[in-house]
Amino acid sequence: MSERVLQEPTLLILTALADRPRHGYAVTQEVTALSAGRVVLRTGTLYGALDRLLKEGLIEVHREEVVDGRARKVYALAPSGRERLVAEAERMAATASEATRRLRLAGPTATAANPAAR
């Protein structure tokens, strides 16, 4: 059985960590930017997801630092997280490619000609 599809917030968190390690606030900012503002992670949601991803081995703590007297963890994509993100990106690209192919086959008026298809 294949792995389950990643939920959008999880996909966005892994994507936010794909190019470099980030601390929690930077992850939330990157997720918002990646989603063009559609996904805004609340603090509790973010840290719950980060804890789950740590337990699953998809991310790791890159380093811990103290900023303004407060401890801050910097997270990085783990090798297994990179593999999972690659697989998910390939799955999504294949689906998008097939959708595009079928839309081209159907032509621009396919849904206009069939009101039930709307």
Side-chain angles (χ1 to χ4, degrees), residues 2-115:
S2 64
E3 294 186 50
R4 63 185 170 90
V5 173
L6 294 175
Q7 296 297 313
E8 187 175 25
T10 300
L11 175 67
L12 290 167
I13 291 168
L14 294 179
T15 302
L17 295 172
D19 59 341
R20 66 184 172 98
R22 289 184 162 83
H23 57 79
Y25 181 73
V27 170
T28 61
Q29 296 302 300
E30 193 67 15
V31 164
T32 300
L34 287 167
S35 68
R38 285 182 306 101
V39 178
V40 178
L41 296 174
R42 292 187 171 161
T43 303
T45 302
L46 171 70
Y47 286 101
L50 291 172
D51 286 344
R52 180 178 51 78
L53 293 170
L54 281 166
K55 287 177 186 163
E56 292 176 5
L58 298 178
I59 66 171
E60 56 197 15
V61 175
H62 179 69
R63 71 178 180 273
E64 294 187 49
E65 55 193 22
V66 176
V67 178
D68 296 328
R70 298 181 67 185
R72 177 164 75 178
K73 291 181 182 175
V74 176
Y75 300 92
L77 197 59
S80 61
R82 185 166 300 282
E83 290 173 11
R84 184 73 190 276
L85 185 57
V86 166
E88 188 70 6
E90 289 172 351
R91 182 196 66 76
M92 292 174 70
T95 301
S97 178
E98 182 61 14
T100 301
R101 185 187 75 77
R102 289 179 185 214
L103 286 167
R104 284 189 190 123
L105 287 175
T109 59
T111 55
N114 183 2

